[in-house]
Each structure stands twice: as structure tokens, then as C-alpha cells.
Amino acid sequence: MIEAAPTEKRLLRLDMMPHMLCPGCGHGIVFDAMLRVLARRYETLDGVAFVAGIGCSSRVVGYVDSATMHTTHGRPLTFATGLKLARPDLKVIVVTGDGDGLSIGGNHLIHAARRNIDLTCVLFNNEIYGMTGGQLAPTTVPGAFTSTSPEGNHEEPFDAARLVEAAGATFVARAQSFRTRLFEEVFAEALDHPGFSFVEVLTDCTEYFGRTNHLGTGADLLFAQGREEPAVDADLATRPTLRPVPEKRTRPTLATGVLHRSRRSTLEEAMGLVGGAR
Amino acid sequence: MREQIEGSQAVARAVALCRPQVVCAYPITPQTHIVEALGARVKEGSLAPCQFINVESEFAAMSVSIGASAGGSRAYTATASQGLLFMAEAVYNASGLGLPIVMTVANRAIGAPINIWNDHSDSMALRDAGWVQLFAADNQSAVDLHIQAFRLAEELSVPVMVCVDGFSLTHAVEGIDVPDQESVDSFLPPFVPRQRLDPDEPVTIGAMVGPEAFTEVRYLAHARMRRALDLMPVIAAEFAAAVGRGGGGLVEPYRLEGADLVVVAQGSVIGTLCDAIDELRDEGISVGALAVTVYRPFPVDAVRAALAGARRVVVIDRALATGEGGFLAADVRRAAPAGTPLHGVIAGLGGRPVTRASLRRCLEEASRGLLGELAWLDLDTTLIEKELAGLPGGTDVHAGPHAG
């Protein structure tokens, strides 16, 4: 059961409301779950800094009543690396999206994982560029329509969790906007983990991905996640505007939960920035 | 035939008429409608055998364009703002290699602070990157300049950037005459590269050049760029003959006859400026305008000739060289007859509207000799004074603006 007490409200900049997320967008659900975790752990966010890039996901950081830094597109992990070197004592949370973190900033993601820098990166994966109006992303499922793949996507998407694990991340988890309890659990574990912790969370863009592919409302998309059906696959295949790609699942069912956990020196430990004389 | 079309759609149609062979797309506001429209045309098959690819960044967009152009294809991409800066290394690479890529820049401010609205900071940052820069005053000119850009680029082996004001042009619906395919085909022959990367006749493209020849390589690039000043009027005349109306050239004068005060500007502010000039002329103020269409290379002689009769010059810049002033103003100062008083006006940064009323006020002041050397249109002086109190020598020990 999720606690009803809106203790997380004190962590919000209520004067920034109303927020800019679309009705039915999964990002608000994930953001709310993040705040619940933080509210349970922190009375104030004085020791926490948020760093975000550009995109719908990154915008949520602007609503947190904390030190928040908004960077150029794709660069939050690099800004956060500098911040951690300057202030190793801070708990740094990077919020990024699939376009920001896997496309234009993909290089930085693998290097942050390789360095095992001690911060938590949450990647909101909605399979599309939402803020600019629904263009193809490196996570868009094969066959799906976007404003720049009018013939259906030809390209294979990234598996963000496997990519980051292969690059050296020491904590990798995947959650869904449908299962907020699972997200809360893995996000809390990620915050506790020493080293580069990465949480990919599947969330839905209703306005562009959902509408363009005739997948229904935010609730339809959310419950499709919940059924863990060949996820949205079944819906996609019945829609007359979509040509299903033969022999290929449109959206494979993905493993969720903690997918990888290991322990090795963090960058800060290796550099002698923590646990000893500086 | 004139049709009501959104600027981005019109640009996409103009580019499609030029039969591009590779189009690279990465989303960035306010450019995205252009590549989306081209993607739709590729899908419907009307651009075959054009290849359309979604890339992972603007850096990739320009790099893929370079590969496509080196391989002998007519390559096109579009970007704006942060995207243009992100691809800067590849932008220089394209011009250094002499590859005739055409790119639309949907002009937008540069962050921080992040701002998606129009000004010319992006193009200005790369004005000396070895690309020809053309500035569209309206969407008709955007259409015409794109078609001429491919011809200019390919004749000179120089890449061309067509600068189109974000939102105020890209998202504006205007009556536009888009030429037919036959006219464009008669004006723009198929791309024949001077050199292509081809294993049948192997060449090395992009090899290292040391001190013994680097200056000469740069000199030749300079010489090719300068030729654009002779070629652009010729191309504009041939374009006019092909489509049956004018459009293009180095500069565009407006009511310069007998003008004591001449206002130089570029981009979409021209329309508002011409309206303001009409009103001021009705009131007996002798004022005219000069639109700079080709900004790089800068048409010094054409600007000097247009300013010959001016007693005073005002230059409107929609970008700021921080700590200095206007970019266009600096160029015009070089061209203006010696001793002519010149006033730079910084206007419309980050999408602030440049209204006819503000322009009128500014030009009336200028005509009475009251404008300073550097003026700012519609500056909020109350806010500025408060913040300036925080600078060294002010009352606050912490210098600079603050967040929150």
C-alpha cells in the first residue's frame, strides 16, 4: 500500500504549478514516486542536488525544492561528474530521458558507468522525443510510427539497462510507471548503492507515442504495461494504421527489478575523495 | 501560384524541389517541422531515391551530411540554436573539405538561460566558419534562397546556411509562390561533384596539411567565398528568369531614394521595418531600409553603394556580441562611408517582439540625432539598475545575476 500522506509536498515548489506534463503522461507518476522515496529519507533536500538535461523528463527537476541544475541537451551526467568532484559529499541525482541520455548524450552515459561515479541516474524511457513533438528516438520500438518515421521505425532500439551494465555500472534496475512500488524499491536501493546506480523506468508518452500509434489514452497505455502483455504489442497489431513487422515483437516484454548489482571502487574512492584524507 | 503555407512546410517543399539525395534529421525546435515534412515526402516516394535518416545528434547530422556529400550526393539538413553549436566542429569540417551541403538554420537564441525563441545568436556564432550565410526576410525569400543555395553551393564547392527566423517565419503561414518542378530543374542541374569518394578512382579526403600548405588551403577557401559576391546576383537573375519573378541578390533596398537616415537589418524584422518606414515617410522623415540577404561573405561594396547618400545609419542586430554590441553593425561600420554617424540597435533577443511602435520611436530619436552609438530596444531599465547594483563597485559583494 502506498502511504497517502502527501509528505512529499514539502519537497515541491508549489509556486511552479501547474506543471507542463500532458494529461496521462507517465512522467508525473514516476516523479511522484521519486518524491515519496525522498520524503521518507530526507526532512529537507539540503544534501541533495538534482541535475537534468533537456526534455520532458528533465523538466520535472524544476519542480523539486532543492539545488537543481539544468544543463544542455544530453550533458547532465558530465555536469554531475564535475559537481561530484567539487562536492563529493552531495547525494547527486541525475534525471534524463531516452533521447537525452541514450541518443545525444549516450557517450556520457557509458563513460559515467565505466567510471563508477557515485551518483544515481534515473532514465525516463518513453520511446520518443516528447518535448519537440514526437520524433523517433533510439528506444522507439520497431514498426512504431513517429513524426520522423512515417513509414514505421526500421531501427532496433537500445536496451538501456544492458548497455549500462556492459559499460560497467554497478547497480542496474528497471521499473515501470505502472508499478510505482517497484520503482520506489529500486530507486531507494539505487540511492543507497555506492557507485554508479542506474534506474531505467518505462513511462508512456500519451500525446505523441500513444496518439500517433492509436494506442488509446494514458490509462490504456498504463494498463498495457501492467498486463505485461507482449505489452503494447497486441494493441499495436490490431490497429489498421500500423503495419506489424513480421516475426518481430513490437515491444518485447522486458525484465524489471534489480538486474545487476556488484561492488567495485567508486571514482571518488579511487581518487581518494571519500573515506580518507583529501 | 500563391498558396497559404507554413514557413517550415514551404522550406521543405523548396528543398524537395531541389531533389536532395540524403536528408539527416535530429529534432530541435523550431526547425523540426522542416525535416518532418521531408520525411513524409520520402515516405510517399515523391523524393525517391532520397534517403532520410534519423540520427543521434546534430553532430551526427552534419557528420552524416559530410559523408553523403563526399560520396557524391546532394546532402541537406536543418538545425537551430544549441544544435548548430553542437555540430560546430563538423560545420568547419564541411567547409574545409569544400562540400556543398545546404543547411537551414531556424534562428533561435542560445542558452544559458535556455530559450527556444528567435534571435540570430546561433548563425552569428558560426558566421566565420567558411559557410555562405543567406538571411531570409520572409517565407517567400526563404523558399527562393534555398533553391539558389544549392546552385551557389555546388558551383563554388562551398556549403551554404540559409537562415530563417524561428517561429516568426518557420511557424508563420503566409501566401507563398512555390515554383514548379520544371522551373527548378531548368535552374538547378543535377549535382556533379568536383570530386567524390569512389574506390574506382581512389582519392584521400581530409588528409593532414602542415604549415607548408595550410595557408594556401585557407586562401583558396577565402577566394571561393569571395566569388559568391559576384555569383549571387547572376544566380538570382537566372532564378528570376526560370521562375518568372525576382528574389535573391546581395542586398535589398527599400525606399532609399533621398533617404537621410538608412536602417540596415536582416531577417524577419524587415517587414515590420518597412511598415515603420512607410509611416515615417508619411510624416516627412526621409528614411529608407537596406536588407542584407548575403551576410557571409559580407557584401561591403553593395552596402557602401547603398549608403552613399545616407547622413546617418542605424543598424538593427538581433544578436549580441556580449561586451561589444552588434555583429551586423560592426560589418556595416566597415562598409559605411567614412564619417557617417552609425547607431547600433540591439533588438528582439530571445524572441522579444520588435514592434512597429518601438522601431518608430527608435528611428524618430535617431533622425533627431538623439540615439547613442549602442542602443537597446525596449530594455527594462528598472530591472537592469537593480541588478547592476550587485556588480563590483555596487552595494552587493556577490557579483552577477542570481537564480530564483
Side-chain angles (χ1 to χ4, degrees):
Chain A
M1 194 183 77
I2 293 165
E3 300 89 306
T7 49
E8 65 269 23
K9 255 194 180 176
R10 68 186 150 79
L11 305 182
L12 279 174
R13 288 179 178 149
L14 292 174
D15 58 338
M16 293 288 289
M17 298 293 149
H19 59 73
M20 46 64 73
L21 298 172
C22 303
C25 171
H27 287 11
I29 300 170
V30 178
F31 180 50
D32 193 29
M34 283 177 78
L35 289 174
R36 277 198 296 275
V37 172
L38 295 169
R40 281 199 290 271
R41 298 165 76 94
Y42 303 110
E43 194 54 41
T44 71
L45 294 177
D46 289 351
V48 183
F50 290 81
V51 185
I54 298 290
C56 298
S57 56
S58 303
R59 277 289 288 272
V60 303
V61 161
Y63 305 115
V64 189
D65 191 14
S66 175
T68 68
M69 191 170 192
H70 302 263
T71 76
T72 52
H73 193 21
R75 318 295 153 213
L77 282 165
T78 57
F79 283 55
T81 300
L83 181 62
K84 280 296 286 187
L85 293 180
R87 290 286 306 272
D89 57 304
L90 286 180
K91 174 63 76 182
V92 172
I93 299 169
V94 169
V95 174
T96 184
D98 47 314
D100 194 64
L102 287 168
S103 191
I104 196 164
N107 190 30
H108 306 310
L109 180 64
I110 55 176
H111 288 282
R114 176 182 64 79
R115 290 194 180 99
N116 199 30
I117 186 160
D118 183 24
L119 56 78
T120 296
C121 176
V122 181
L123 185 142
F124 290 50
N125 181 355
N126 64 356
E127 304 173 50
I128 205 160
Y129 285 89
M131 185 158 278
T132 45
Q135 294 80 26
L136 186 81
T139 43
T140 307
V141 291
F145 293 118
T146 69
S147 70
T148 48
S149 63
E151 74 288 14
N153 177 25
H154 309 297
E155 302 178 9
E156 283 295 325
F158 264 132
D159 180 328
R162 283 180 58 200
L163 174 73
V164 170
E165 181 186 339
T170 49
F171 181 95
V172 180
R174 188 187 284 119
Q176 297 172 309
S177 53
F178 181 76
R179 289 187 172 76
T180 52
R181 264 319 263 277
L182 174 71
F183 175 79
E184 287 180 42
E185 281 170 25
V186 298
F187 179 52
E189 285 187 57
L191 292 174
D192 286 334
H193 178 81
F196 186 73
S197 53
F198 179 77
V199 180
E200 177 190 11
V201 54
L202 306 175
T203 123
D204 292 308
C205 173
T206 53
E207 275 302 301
Y208 293 109
F209 192 83
R211 200 156 48 85
T212 310
N213 290 292
H214 298 265
L215 295 172
T217 64
D220 295 326
L221 286 158
L222 201 59
F223 288 117
Q225 279 191 21
R227 289 194 293 273
E228 279 191 288
E229 56 196 23
V232 186
D233 194 9
D235 287 351
L236 282 173
T238 59
R239 301 294 168 175
T241 51
L242 243 185
R243 280 166 281 167
V245 180
E247 305 299 317
K248 193 173 280 184
R249 300 169 84 86
T250 305
R251 187 197 224 185
T253 304
L254 294 169
T256 53
V258 178
L259 306 176
H260 171 74
R261 194 191 323 244
S262 60
R263 179 75 174 99
R264 63 184 171 93
S265 288
T266 66
L267 179 70
E268 293 88 329
E269 287 165 348
M271 293 177 75
L273 297 176
V274 291
R278 275 183 76 178
Chain B
M1 188 186 75
R2 279 170 78 83
E3 299 168 68
Q4 293 291 325
I5 322 174
E6 189 208 38
S8 297
Q9 301 293 330
V11 167
R13 280 176 60 178
V15 171
L17 286 167
C18 297
R19 304 183 187 275
Q21 290 156 301
V22 175
V23 174
C24 302
Y26 187 79
I28 184 165
T29 304
Q31 157 280 134
T32 315
H33 289 183
I34 301 172
V35 289
E36 284 176 349
L38 284 166
R41 282 175 177 267
V42 170
K43 183 221 169 186
E44 71 190 27
S46 63
L47 275 184
C50 179
Q51 302 298 323
F52 177 89
I53 182 152
N54 288 281
V55 290
E56 61 272 27
S57 68
E58 289 88 357
F59 192 91
M62 183 46 59
S63 303
V64 171
S65 300
I66 289 170
S69 187
S73 290
R74 185 173 279 166
Y76 170 83
T77 190
T79 191
S81 183
Q82 314 293 135
L84 182 65
L85 294 204
F86 186 42
M87 64 165 70
E89 185 187 45
V91 168
Y92 273 83
N93 201 257
S95 59
L97 294 174
L99 296 172
I101 297 161
V102 171
M103 170 163 67
T104 308
V105 176
N107 290 116
R108 165 184 150 180
I110 288 170
I114 186 170
N115 177 300
I116 62 168
W117 308 104
N118 169 238
D119 71 30
H120 294 162
S121 311
D122 46 6
S123 298
M124 288 300 162
L126 288 180
R127 69 194 184 285
D128 299 319
W131 287 55
V132 169
Q133 284 192 337
L134 310 176
F135 274 80
D138 54 30
N139 281 327
Q140 184 65 64
S141 124
V143 164
D144 299 348
L145 290 177
H146 274 89
I147 298 166
Q148 295 175 45
F150 281 101
R151 175 82 184 272
L152 185 68
E154 290 166 15
E155 286 204 16
L156 289 177
S157 290
V158 167
V160 179
M161 220 179 269
V162 187
C163 307
V164 182
D165 279 340
F167 292 110
S168 49
L169 292 181
T170 57
H171 288 54
V173 176
E174 283 187 79
I176 301 167
D177 172 40
V178 180
D180 59 32
Q181 187 67 61
E182 202 181 330
S183 313
V184 175
D185 285 346
S186 73
F187 168 76
L188 180 69
F191 176 39
V192 182
R194 286 165 63 94
Q195 190 177 53
R196 88 172 83 208
L197 201 64
D198 181 355
D200 290 341
E201 291 174 52
V203 291
T204 294
I205 293 181
M208 181 161 167
V209 173
E212 71 288 350
F214 197 80
T215 307
E216 287 68 28
V217 170
R218 282 287 175 267
Y219 181 92
L220 291 171
H222 176 74
R224 284 203 309 271
M225 275 286 271
R226 300 302 299 173
R227 272 195 202 166
L229 294 174
D230 298 328
L231 196 54
M232 193 62 189
V234 175
I235 284 179
E238 286 185 26
F239 179 79
V243 305
R245 56 172 175 74
L250 300 173
V251 293
E252 180 94 29
Y254 184 75
R255 298 189 76 169
L256 280 187
E257 63 288 353
D260 290 333
L261 175 65
V262 176
V263 190
V264 186
Q266 54 193 2
S268 62
V269 73
I270 297 296
T272 319
L273 180 62
C274 291
D275 287 349
I277 281 169
D278 287 345
E279 290 182 3
L280 292 168
R281 281 267 183 179
D282 290 346
E283 292 163 21
I285 299 176
S286 77
V287 53
L290 184 71
V292 176
T293 307
V294 179
Y295 179 61
R296 280 296 182 269
F298 191 71
V300 173
D301 293 341
V303 173
R304 183 170 294 149
L307 297 181
R311 293 191 176 175
R312 193 176 288 283
V313 177
V314 168
V315 184
I316 298 172
D317 258 286
R318 215 159 184 161
L320 172 68
T322 311
E324 293 298 327
F327 297 90
L328 183 59
D331 289 307
V332 174
R333 192 166 281 125
R334 195 156 52 94
T340 315
L342 188 144
H343 312 273
V345 178
I346 305 297
L349 300 188
R352 179 168 295 184
V354 181
T355 65
R356 188 171 46 180
S358 297
L359 280 178
R360 279 194 49 160
R361 244 187 337 266
C362 173
L363 298 182
E364 278 165 5
E365 274 184 37
S367 70
R368 297 204 303 273
L370 300 175
L371 208 61
E373 195 183 334
L374 177 62
W376 301 68
L377 202 72
D378 298 334
L379 187 70
D380 181 347
T381 48
T382 317
L383 176 76
I384 295 300
E385 279 160 20
K386 191 178 140 209
E387 288 288 339
L388 284 179
L391 285 179
T395 53
D396 187 343
V397 293
H398 296 100
H402 52 81

